[in-house]
Amino acid sequence: MSGFTLHDLQCFDAVIRAGGFQAAAAALHRSHPAVFAAVARLERQLGLALLDRSGYRVAPTAAGRSFHRRAQNLLGELQQLRAHAEQLAMGEESELHIVLGDLCPRPQALAVLGRFFAQCPNTRLHLHFESVSGPRERLFDDSADLIVHRLDAGDAQLETITLGEVRMVPVVAPGFLPFPIDRAIRPERLRGLTQCVMRDSARHSPPVDYFTIDGAPQCTVADQLMKKDLIAHGLAWGHMPHFLVADELADGRLLSIAGRHLPGRSERLVAARRSDRAHGPVAARLWDHLQAHAPQLRAALAAPAAATATGKRAR
């Protein structure tokens, strides 16, 4: 068996992933004959039949599947090496685009960013505020280098730093409900009452609804503080991040209606960046800075719970 090239291995990988030679050629921006020849050369060099060409579509043989699984480590290392080389060649970035989402504890996040960028006078910070699907859309539109927002686990395209859990709780102002508050309130009893919801700032992503009740009148707002003001003034009800309403819950200006049928939920707050993109030296230092200061943001999310408990005991 003679040595094989990375080019041949990449062509074989592309055929497996794309499901055929033509699609692989398009993905690699190469000609169909070039990809076909590369895979055939790899098979000769290995002395193995990696692809079954007897059907309408090519498919990996048992040996091909096994070989492809082992090849993933090498191809992954190659991608990381290329990204590292791009970072080394970049030099310091002249600007970075950071997006803070609607569930971010804004004062603490701004303090962390302020301390970092004070040490980077040659890098201009472009700070954006987005809601619901907006932060993730910016990241995948390549118009953001990093976001701080809610995110589901398991996205292989993203690298994340967990900053804590944001507890979402349904709240009303005293006297807003035409019936007593108990833990058995069902969503349908709220259908005739105005619900305040966040406006999704995404421009082209599919719409996402959180906690909305079908058929209920709605008012939409652009940020959580406006939402809290509307709810506190008895104009609507809605779900709020607990850290933003802990004081109001403690002193009775807002009331929780959480129960069996309105449990709320916890959202995972993270700093996130693309794992398939190169990051320059300033972005890399910012990532380390956020990891070092993540406990401060976690404390900002956790402290209100303790404060609320203290307030309830005092009353």
Side-chain angles (χ1 to χ4, degrees):
M1 179 180 70
S2 59
F4 52 84
T5 68
L6 284 171
H7 170 262
D8 296 344
L9 190 61
Q10 288 172 317
C11 288
F12 170 62
D13 175 65
V15 172
I16 296 296
R17 291 180 181 276
F21 287 100
Q22 191 64 50
L28 295 173
H29 304 290
R30 299 184 183 278
S31 68
H32 179 284
V35 174
F36 189 91
V39 176
R41 184 167 54 246
L42 178 63
E43 289 179 309
R44 287 197 307 271
Q45 291 167 337
L46 296 175
L48 292 171
L50 299 175
L51 296 176
D52 180 357
R53 298 169 174 81
S54 62
Y56 176 72
R57 294 171 61 91
V58 296
T61 62
R65 286 192 295 272
S66 178
F67 182 77
H68 186 251
R69 283 195 298 270
R70 294 293 296 270
Q72 297 310 295
N73 293 332
L74 177 59
L75 292 170
E77 288 290 334
L78 177 62
Q79 182 177 349
Q80 292 177 22
L81 184 60
R82 283 177 172 163
H84 183 62
E86 289 179 27
Q87 292 171 6
L88 295 175
M90 276 181 177
E92 297 226 332
E93 302 95 313
S94 61
E95 59 183 28
L96 286 176
H97 290 260
I98 310 298
V99 176
L100 301 184
D102 58 274
L103 296 187
C104 175
R106 195 173 296 177
Q108 291 81 6
L110 292 175
V112 170
L113 291 173
R115 285 192 294 271
F116 176 81
F117 281 97
Q119 306 301 316
C120 303
N122 297 322
T123 300
R124 181 180 178 185
L125 169 63
H126 295 270
L127 196 57
H128 311 273
F129 299 93
E130 302 280 354
S131 58
V132 192
S133 305
R136 191 178 188 278
E137 181 181 271
R138 271 191 177 268
L139 201 57
F140 282 92
D141 281 350
D142 286 326
S143 62
D145 298 289
L146 181 145
I147 66 173
V148 180
H149 194 46
R150 74 179 103 198
L151 205 65
D152 295 329
D155 194 328
Q157 292 179 280
L158 297 178
E159 185 178 3
T160 62
I161 300 170
T162 299
L163 302 177
E165 297 288 328
V166 179
R167 186 154 56 96
M168 302 297 293
V169 56
V171 296
V172 297
F176 177 78
L177 296 182
F179 48 80
I181 294 176
D182 60 50
R183 290 185 55 80
I185 296 175
R186 293 180 177 273
E188 50 265 30
R189 295 191 70 188
L190 302 172
R191 187 167 287 124
L193 303 173
T194 300
Q195 181 180 11
C196 189
V197 298
M198 289 294 301
R199 182 179 301 118
D200 194 339
S201 65
R203 292 140 185 90
H204 56 76
S205 298
V208 178
D209 292 326
Y210 289 96
F211 308 114
T212 56
I213 295 179
D214 290 340
Q218 292 183 353
C219 59
T220 60
V221 294
D223 63 72
Q224 296 286 359
L225 292 178
M226 175 64 79
K227 185 176 179 181
K228 182 170 81 168
D229 285 344
L230 262 70
I231 295 172
H233 284 87
L235 297 172
W237 74 277
H239 286 77
M240 289 293 304
H242 185 266
F243 72 88
L244 280 180
V245 295
D247 291 342
E248 289 81 1
L249 289 171
D251 62 23
R253 284 175 289 164
L254 288 175
L255 304 173
S256 169
I257 57 172
R260 292 195 300 274
H261 309 293
L262 290 167
R265 73 181 190 194
S266 289
E267 299 283 0
R268 177 174 170 255
L269 185 72
V270 303
R273 66 182 183 181
R274 295 279 294 273
S275 60
D276 58 348
R277 294 289 187 272
H279 303 283
V282 178
R285 293 201 301 271
L286 174 59
W287 192 253
D288 293 339
H289 181 79
L290 288 172
Q291 286 183 314
H293 290 83
Q296 293 177 230
L297 296 174
R298 282 194 285 270
L301 299 176
T308 301
T310 302
K312 286 182 177 177
R313 284 197 298 272
R315 289 189 296 158

